[in-house]
Amino acid sequence: MRDRLRLGFLGPHATFTEQALRTLPESHDAELVPLPGAPAVLAAVRDGSVDAGCVPIENTVEGAVPPVLDGLVEDPPLVIAREARIAVRFCLLGKGGTGLADVRTVASHGHGIAQVRGWLATHLPDAEVRVSSSTAEAAAQAARGEVDAAVAAPLAASQHGLAVLADDIADNAGAATRFVLLTRSGPPPSPTGWDRTTLAATTTNRPGTLLGLLTELAVRGIDLTRIESRPVKDRHAEYWFHLDCSGHVTEPAMGEALAALHRRCDRLLYLGSYPRSDAPPAPVAGSGSPVVPLGAASVDDYVASERWLAAIREGAGT
Amino acid sequence: MRDRLRLGFLGPHATFTEQALRTLPESHDAELVPLPGAPAVLAAVRDGSVDAGCVPIENTVEGAVPPVLDGLVEDPPLVIAREARIAVRFCLLGKGGTGLADVRTVASHGHGIAQVRGWLATHLPDAEVRVSSSTAEAAAQAARGEVDAAVAAPLAASQHGLAVLADDIADNAGAATRFVLLTRSGPPPSPTGWDRTTLAATTTNRPGTLLGLLTELAVRGIDLTRIESRPVKDRHAEYWFHLDCSGHVTEPAMGEALAALHRRCDRLLYLGSYPRSDAPPAPVAGSGSPVVPLGAASVDDYVASERWLAAIREGAGT
Amino acid sequence: MRDRLRLGFLGPHATFTEQALRTLPESHDAELVPLPGAPAVLAAVRDGSVDAGCVPIENTVEGAVPPVLDGLVEDPPLVIAREARIAVRFCLLGKGGTGLADVRTVASHGHGIAQVRGWLATHLPDAEVRVSSSTAEAAAQAARGEVDAAVAAPLAASQHGLAVLADDIADNAGAATRFVLLTRSGPPPSPTGWDRTTLAATTTNRPGTLLGLLTELAVRGIDLTRIESRPVKDRHAEYWFHLDCSGHVTEPAMGEALAALHRRCDRLLYLGSYPRSDAPPAPVAGSGSPVVPLGAASVDDYVASERWLAAIREGAGT
Amino acid sequence: MRDRLRLGFLGPHATFTEQALRTLPESHDAELVPLPGAPAVLAAVRDGSVDAGCVPIENTVEGAVPPVLDGLVEDPPLVIAREARIAVRFCLLGKGGTGLADVRTVASHGHGIAQVRGWLATHLPDAEVRVSSSTAEAAAQAARGEVDAAVAAPLAASQHGLAVLADDIADNAGAATRFVLLTRSGPPPSPTGWDRTTLAATTTNRPGTLLGLLTELAVRGIDLTRIESRPVKDRHAEYWFHLDCSGHVTEPAMGEALAALHRRCDRLLYLGSYPRSDAPPAPVAGSGSPVVPLGAASVDDYVASERWLAAIREGAGT
């Protein structure tokens, strides 16, 4: 009998994904299992070799987003149980005692290199830059002495026994990446009042169909927080639309919207309702007329309107 | 104990409204009670002095539409139980033996005069035209000898013992008027598959609110067959929107739309679901791609989507 | 040579329409010509026998709205040059020296009777009520001694030498009626910043077409202030939509919207741009985030966006 | 003086990007310059060190899409001059004489590995799989003898002197990737009747704003062929929406839509109009009622509607 959760993640150790996973309460006391690429993480969740898996889903520096999206729509179904958002902070890592002047070769993942391009041009204009398969692999190369330094996550320093030669070197400070913890299908976590629901949908390829889907959401006051289109495999000019929406599957507005999308889409995948990791917007001070979402209504409004409908169907006057 | 239905109508006898009422099965064996004006009909239904009342609601030649609309939104609530549509056919009526050459004075309701203006200019260019309070009253004037002829409904000939001097004299042949039979609130007639639902709604006076209402209908595949705006009494720049929609209150798409409007409107009146009097459109021959209403879905689609929603809320995979 | 304007109106003298016309600057020094019914007014403008004509278009007590709407879409085209809005104030008029106790017969137009029903029930419960073809005709009947009193406009008292037996007797005080002054086609009055544009449109009878029209307006920030549907003569289930919109034909947003409707409608009639008679809404005090109409943009915004478009078409970077 | 075009591409040599670039007429006689990553390609176009650059933009197996999207919205502006679409065909490459039974180590880019997972599990279940920084680098590793085989593009075989050990091994045959050729700002290629326009837009972060943008397109009959959201750097919860639309900047419908988006968006980038690489849909045989895009209108329709608008502004009747 297994008594510890096994959680897979986009490895190797010391990636930004591991860093994100460690911020989640599920990771405490769990066994963290690095897996070679996002598709491997999804496969391990599906075949039960891990209990859940963590992958980046938005704005990643490791390049994993398209395969994550494409993998989510495969069978058997997966759901998002939780999300984490971490600031992407790049460091220049090297062996202890290395000075900037000693760095003639630098390695990182291609996306990592892109995000520190300006810093490298200023501080290491003559260094040779090498592309690695991940930022963690770049740190491993530095630890093995194959390169003088690596651009990687802070976590990689301790894991590979490296020193931080320069901290916070991204050209655009403050970029964040969103990660999700995936599980096999199951009941959603309870609503918190500040939740997100993730969907994927395909429609017949006709003008206006995407507008139709978005109208189903907007008319019920459901806000869209992210949208991506990914080609359906083997179907020319057909797309999976990946949607992140405000709200929780147990709420009436979301339930009605999901049922409507189910009627309208060729295929609709419910990919989980879970607490949002970003903070709710602060109320705008001194504003007498808040901008209410088109069609927004509270749970009480739904209950009252259902009661009214039942009454008029029985012949009561309005 | 009363054993016959009492049905009020916009009188006097022999109006187009009486003619319409006589086409409805409810009028057989019923006592038909002429009442002086549409407001009087509505009041009589409300106070129970008649069981139901018939008034014109669209395209009338007697000018009654605005007061009918304004009266429908008053208390206590009324509902439409049935509708009738009749071709508006104008005749020139006079005492037996009158020839066109004898007609020096002609009476009719103002709207009736407007619709035979061309015919009068051609055939009775020198006749004096007098305005009456209804086409039926014009016929009565002709019967009393106060005018030589009246422009009125065919029914008025028999009721006033007049001859038809000229038939079908409207400048635009084929105009139809729609009439409704009103009752106090009660369960709607059973759905027939070709029904209409009538609503009245007020909203806060902000740009885009009407568009919001219509989107709630369109997104659920409900077609709008008539729309009117009438000022709300005593409220500057605020309107009652009167809407006729395809469908029946017992259908899921209509139920969901009504509940949505109830949440969104300041006030929403359900004014009845009842069989449509017009014929359904013939299917377009040879058309491979019928134009499906935005968001249209069958009852089976609704049942299937509700079942799917219940399953994912319990944790089943999609 | 004619040196005075001739202005037709829905007569006879002393109707609410004459009262409205007298509030317009055009009526000063003009010859006011009463005409028997709204269709007669439209015909007189069209054939040039008057220079302009005044008719009610909204919420009238004389029942003229449907024929006005139906007449506006006929040929040759007419345009609205100005509008007037007057409070509808009903008086009980009778010969001097008449007391309420002396009134045994009361006449009025059917709609007038409807609006004072409560007052009559309280103050003249035993009086016989007679329907006239207009409120002015009812006053004439009172002047001729055919009835003891008339429910009519204040103007009717002086015109028929009658005394006001009771003033302001409408059950719902404060109802207003809107009147329009029609002319043959011609350049619109200059924009004032608070204008209205009136349109009539027919579309193919397909679900969603009305929503399409309203979206063309809303997407450009044009607000709809009134909408009516009137059956197209001789075409079953086809409608003219009568629309009042905020804005002026010379403004870019309105111009673009009109061109769009012209492309989309089977037939589109421009029925004039003219100053609004109602007051603009007061700005909401203390509101930090005014609700901006969907798509609203200023003339400057349009100029800037056109300039940007021209630049990118020539290859300038954005 | 330089007489050959210099075209950068996402290198190294033998990537799918080089393969795509070679399908474009611009590549004939041009100097093809491999560059380390998509950000390097964009930078080289911007600084003039190449005349144009080719990068994947959709569904890539090399993971480059997010940095391409993020790089496109930086300064100075770039535009897409052309697109190419190639089938992504994976081969197993090794030194001549290698049999499947000899393969104990296989390298590829992480996304490449994901797409041949099934094939590897069946045919090389015991091989060790290594992640490379690109499929071309994997082929180079095979050529250097560091691994026994590489999963890569067919082009890599000839460039690295390798044999094709197995062809067309992707689990989902037929996936295509879209590539774009970027240049500095300049006039667009002439319209061909089957063009695409690419845009990027940011809006204030309010519910319904994305729906507003899409409505501006749909109401003018412009179809959306791709949509992605990418977080705006340093701005929490704000997005760049990347949109591919049907049509060309010189067409009136597209021009009006672009101007409308310019008025409505915080920032709008025009990223080029260019011929589409996919085939237009075949007309549906025997269909009497083609589904017309919401608001679609021809150039002639636009010309006619502009002429009509000019006429009514001058006072002509409609």
Side-chain angles (χ1 to χ4, degrees):
Chain A
M1 184 190 149
R2 208 165 73 201
D3 48 356
R4 290 174 72 200
L5 277 181
R6 278 172 59 86
L7 305 181
F9 67 94
L10 173 67
H13 275 295
T15 54
F16 285 101
T17 308
E18 180 177 1
Q19 188 181 327
L21 177 55
R22 288 185 178 281
T23 68
L24 295 180
E26 285 84 350
S27 69
H28 306 153
D29 296 321
E31 180 185 355
L32 304 195
V33 183
L35 293 164
V41 176
L42 273 63
V45 178
R46 285 194 165 104
D47 69 21
S49 58
V50 297
D51 297 297
C54 189
V55 288
I57 198 167
E58 203 180 336
N59 199 28
T60 180
V61 292
E62 314 275 5
V65 170
V68 167
L69 299 181
D70 295 348
L72 276 172
V73 301
E74 292 177 357
D75 282 321
L78 298 174
V79 290
I80 300 173
R82 190 175 288 271
E83 70 175 19
R85 190 177 300 259
I86 61 165
V88 170
R89 186 169 134 231
F90 283 103
C91 305
L92 187 74
L93 305 180
K95 290 187 176 168
T98 308
L100 277 190
D102 306 321
V103 176
R104 270 175 303 267
T105 50
V106 184
S108 191
H109 186 273
H111 299 175
I113 293 169
Q115 298 197 31
V116 301
R117 183 174 305 278
W119 189 91
L120 290 177
T122 305
H123 297 91
L124 295 174
D126 300 323
E128 178 195 342
V129 177
R130 297 192 191 158
V131 179
S132 306
S133 60
S134 72
T135 55
E137 169 61 19
Q141 291 174 315
R144 292 194 299 263
E146 297 169 16
V147 293
D148 297 328
V151 174
L155 184 61
S158 56
Q159 294 213 348
H160 291 282
L162 295 173
V164 175
L165 308 186
D167 198 358
D168 222 349
I169 65 174
D171 297 338
N172 292 284
T177 288
R178 191 160 71 100
F179 299 82
V180 290
L181 187 68
L182 299 167
T183 66
R184 291 177 290 284
S185 291
S190 299
T192 66
W194 182 245
D195 301 290
R196 201 187 306 278
T197 295
T198 296
L199 307 171
T202 59
T203 66
T204 55
N205 183 32
R206 295 197 313 172
T209 48
L210 176 61
L211 190 71
L213 298 196
L214 301 191
T215 302
E216 295 280 10
L217 298 172
V219 83
R220 293 174 179 93
I222 293 170
D223 192 21
L224 198 67
T225 61
R226 187 180 58 95
I227 181 168
E228 313 275 337
S229 52
R230 294 288 304 160
V232 174
K233 280 178 183 165
D234 297 348
R235 301 265 195 92
H236 178 64
E238 207 167 307
Y239 287 87
W240 277 104
F241 292 107
H242 290 260
L243 309 172
D244 282 350
C245 308
S246 59
H248 193 280
V249 65
T250 58
E251 294 163 352
M254 179 62 77
E256 196 179 289
L258 288 177
L261 294 182
H262 188 262
R263 292 188 296 270
R264 194 188 271 267
C265 296
D266 285 352
R267 196 156 174 222
L268 176 69
L269 298 185
Y270 160 77
L271 296 172
S273 289
Y274 47 92
R276 294 177 66 158
S277 60
D278 52 339
V284 179
S287 165
S289 59
V291 177
V292 178
L294 175 63
S298 70
V299 174
D300 285 353
D301 290 338
Y302 269 83
V303 171
S305 66
E306 291 298 332
R307 198 171 290 151
W308 173 84
L309 177 62
I312 65 164
R313 279 177 169 169
E314 285 165 15
T318 52
Chain B
M1 185 188 149
R2 207 164 73 201
D3 48 357
R4 290 174 71 200
L5 277 180
R6 278 174 59 87
L7 305 181
F9 66 94
L10 173 67
H13 274 295
T15 53
F16 285 100
T17 309
E18 180 176 0
Q19 188 182 330
L21 177 55
R22 287 184 179 280
T23 68
L24 294 180
E26 286 84 350
S27 69
H28 306 153
D29 296 321
E31 180 185 355
L32 305 194
V33 184
L35 293 164
V41 176
L42 273 64
V45 178
R46 284 194 165 104
D47 69 19
S49 58
V50 296
D51 297 297
C54 189
V55 290
I57 198 167
E58 204 180 335
N59 198 30
T60 180
V61 293
E62 314 274 5
V65 170
V68 167
L69 299 182
D70 294 347
L72 276 172
V73 300
E74 293 177 357
D75 283 322
L78 298 175
V79 289
I80 300 173
R82 192 175 286 272
E83 70 175 21
R85 191 177 299 258
I86 61 166
V88 171
R89 186 169 134 231
F90 283 104
C91 305
L92 186 74
L93 306 180
K95 289 187 176 168
T98 310
L100 277 190
D102 306 322
V103 175
R104 272 175 303 267
T105 51
V106 183
S108 192
H109 186 275
H111 298 174
I113 293 169
Q115 298 197 32
V116 301
R117 182 174 305 278
W119 189 91
L120 290 177
T122 304
H123 297 91
L124 294 173
D126 301 323
E128 178 195 342
V129 177
R130 296 190 192 160
V131 179
S132 306
S133 60
S134 74
T135 55
E137 169 59 20
Q141 291 174 314
R144 291 194 302 263
E146 296 169 18
V147 294
D148 298 327
V151 174
L155 185 62
S158 56
Q159 294 212 347
H160 291 283
L162 296 172
V164 175
L165 308 186
D167 199 357
D168 221 348
I169 65 174
D171 298 336
N172 291 283
T177 288
R178 190 161 71 100
F179 299 83
V180 290
L181 186 69
L182 299 167
T183 66
R184 292 178 290 283
S185 291
S190 298
T192 66
W194 183 244
D195 302 289
R196 202 186 306 278
T197 295
T198 296
L199 307 171
T202 59
T203 66
T204 55
N205 184 32
R206 295 196 314 173
T209 48
L210 177 60
L211 191 70
L213 299 196
L214 300 191
T215 302
E216 295 281 10
L217 298 172
V219 83
R220 293 173 179 93
I222 293 171
D223 191 21
L224 197 67
T225 61
R226 187 180 57 96
I227 181 167
E228 313 274 337
S229 52
R230 293 288 305 161
V232 174
K233 281 178 180 163
D234 297 346
R235 300 267 194 91
H236 178 64
E238 208 167 307
Y239 287 87
W240 278 104
F241 292 107
H242 291 260
L243 309 172
D244 281 351
C245 308
S246 59
H248 193 278
V249 65
T250 58
E251 294 164 351
M254 179 63 76
E256 196 179 291
L258 288 176
L261 294 182
H262 188 262
R263 291 188 296 269
R264 196 188 269 267
C265 296
D266 286 352
R267 195 156 175 222
L268 176 68
L269 299 185
Y270 160 77
L271 296 172
S273 289
Y274 48 92
R276 293 176 67 159
S277 60
D278 51 341
V284 178
S287 165
S289 60
V291 178
V292 177
L294 174 65
S298 70
V299 174
D300 285 353
D301 289 338
Y302 269 83
V303 170
S305 66
E306 291 298 331
R307 198 171 291 151
W308 173 84
L309 177 62
I312 65 163
R313 280 178 168 168
E314 285 165 16
T318 52
Chain C
M1 184 188 149
R2 206 164 73 199
D3 49 357
R4 290 174 71 200
L5 277 180
R6 277 173 60 86
L7 304 181
F9 67 94
L10 173 67
H13 275 295
T15 53
F16 285 101
T17 308
E18 179 176 2
Q19 189 181 329
L21 177 56
R22 287 185 179 279
T23 68
L24 295 179
E26 286 84 350
S27 71
H28 306 154
D29 295 322
E31 181 185 355
L32 304 195
V33 184
L35 293 164
V41 176
L42 273 63
V45 178
R46 285 195 164 103
D47 69 20
S49 58
V50 297
D51 297 296
C54 189
V55 289
I57 198 168
E58 204 179 336
N59 198 29
T60 180
V61 293
E62 314 275 4
V65 170
V68 167
L69 298 182
D70 294 347
L72 276 171
V73 300
E74 292 177 358
D75 283 321
L78 298 175
V79 289
I80 300 173
R82 191 176 287 272
E83 70 175 21
R85 190 177 299 259
I86 62 166
V88 170
R89 186 170 134 230
F90 284 103
C91 305
L92 187 74
L93 305 180
K95 290 187 175 167
T98 309
L100 277 190
D102 306 322
V103 175
R104 270 174 304 267
T105 50
V106 184
S108 192
H109 185 275
H111 299 173
I113 293 169
Q115 297 197 33
V116 300
R117 183 174 305 276
W119 189 92
L120 290 176
T122 305
H123 297 91
L124 295 173
D126 302 322
E128 178 196 342
V129 177
R130 296 190 192 161
V131 179
S132 305
S133 60
S134 74
T135 55
E137 169 61 19
Q141 291 174 313
R144 291 195 301 265
E146 296 169 17
V147 293
D148 298 326
V151 174
L155 185 62
S158 56
Q159 294 212 347
H160 291 283
L162 295 172
V164 175
L165 307 186
D167 199 357
D168 222 348
I169 65 174
D171 297 337
N172 291 283
T177 288
R178 190 161 71 100
F179 300 83
V180 290
L181 188 67
L182 298 167
T183 66
R184 290 177 292 282
S185 290
S190 298
T192 66
W194 183 244
D195 302 289
R196 202 187 306 277
T197 295
T198 296
L199 307 171
T202 59
T203 67
T204 55
N205 183 33
R206 295 195 316 170
T209 49
L210 176 61
L211 191 71
L213 299 195
L214 299 191
T215 302
E216 294 280 10
L217 298 172
V219 83
R220 293 172 179 94
I222 293 170
D223 192 21
L224 197 68
T225 61
R226 186 180 58 96
I227 181 167
E228 312 275 337
S229 51
R230 293 288 305 160
V232 174
K233 281 178 181 163
D234 296 347
R235 301 265 195 94
H236 178 63
E238 208 167 306
Y239 287 87
W240 278 104
F241 292 107
H242 290 260
L243 309 172
D244 282 350
C245 308
S246 58
H248 194 278
V249 65
T250 58
E251 294 164 351
M254 180 62 78
E256 196 179 289
L258 288 177
L261 294 183
H262 188 262
R263 291 188 296 270
R264 196 188 270 266
C265 297
D266 286 352
R267 197 158 174 219
L268 177 68
L269 299 184
Y270 161 77
L271 295 172
S273 288
Y274 48 92
R276 293 176 67 157
S277 60
D278 52 340
V284 178
S287 165
S289 58
V291 178
V292 177
L294 175 64
S298 71
V299 174
D300 285 353
D301 290 337
Y302 269 83
V303 170
S305 66
E306 291 297 333
R307 196 171 293 151
W308 172 85
L309 177 62
I312 65 163
R313 279 178 168 168
E314 285 164 16
T318 52
Chain D
M1 183 190 149
R2 206 165 72 199
D3 47 357
R4 290 174 73 201
L5 276 180
R6 277 173 60 84
L7 304 181
F9 67 94
L10 173 66
H13 274 297
T15 53
F16 285 101
T17 309
E18 180 177 0
Q19 187 182 329
L21 177 56
R22 288 185 179 280
T23 68
L24 295 180
E26 285 84 350
S27 70
H28 305 153
D29 297 320
E31 180 185 356
L32 304 195
V33 184
L35 294 165
V41 176
L42 274 63
V45 178
R46 284 195 164 104
D47 69 20
S49 59
V50 296
D51 296 298
C54 189
V55 289
I57 198 167
E58 202 179 336
N59 198 29
T60 180
V61 293
E62 314 275 5
V65 170
V68 167
L69 298 181
D70 295 346
L72 276 172
V73 301
E74 292 177 358
D75 283 322
L78 297 175
V79 289
I80 299 172
R82 190 175 288 271
E83 70 175 20
R85 189 177 300 257
I86 61 165
V88 170
R89 185 169 135 232
F90 284 103
C91 306
L92 187 75
L93 306 180
K95 289 186 176 169
T98 310
L100 276 191
D102 307 321
V103 176
R104 272 174 302 268
T105 51
V106 184
S108 190
H109 185 275
H111 299 175
I113 293 169
Q115 299 197 31
V116 300
R117 182 175 306 277
W119 189 91
L120 290 177
T122 305
H123 297 91
L124 295 173
D126 301 322
E128 178 196 341
V129 177
R130 297 192 191 157
V131 179
S132 306
S133 60
S134 73
T135 55
E137 170 60 20
Q141 291 174 313
R144 291 194 301 264
E146 297 168 15
V147 292
D148 298 326
V151 174
L155 185 61
S158 56
Q159 293 212 347
H160 291 281
L162 295 173
V164 176
L165 309 186
D167 198 358
D168 221 348
I169 65 174
D171 297 337
N172 292 285
T177 288
R178 190 161 71 100
F179 299 83
V180 290
L181 186 68
L182 298 168
T183 66
R184 291 177 291 284
S185 291
S190 298
T192 66
W194 182 244
D195 301 289
R196 203 187 304 279
T197 295
T198 296
L199 307 172
T202 59
T203 66
T204 55
N205 183 32
R206 294 196 313 171
T209 49
L210 176 60
L211 191 70
L213 299 195
L214 300 191
T215 301
E216 294 281 9
L217 298 171
V219 83
R220 294 172 178 94
I222 293 170
D223 191 21
L224 197 67
T225 60
R226 187 181 58 96
I227 181 167
E228 312 274 338
S229 51
R230 293 288 306 160
V232 175
K233 281 179 180 164
D234 297 346
R235 300 265 196 93
H236 178 64
E238 207 166 309
Y239 286 87
W240 277 104
F241 292 107
H242 290 260
L243 309 172
D244 282 350
C245 309
S246 59
H248 193 280
V249 65
T250 58
E251 294 164 351
M254 179 62 78
E256 196 179 289
L258 288 177
L261 294 183
H262 188 261
R263 291 188 296 270
R264 194 189 271 266
C265 295
D266 286 352
R267 196 157 174 222
L268 177 68
L269 299 185
Y270 161 77
L271 295 173
S273 288
Y274 47 92
R276 293 176 68 158
S277 60
D278 52 341
V284 179
S287 165
S289 59
V291 177
V292 177
L294 175 64
S298 70
V299 174
D300 286 352
D301 290 338
Y302 269 83
V303 170
S305 66
E306 291 298 333
R307 197 171 291 150
W308 173 84
L309 177 62
I312 65 164
R313 279 177 169 169
E314 284 164 17
T318 53

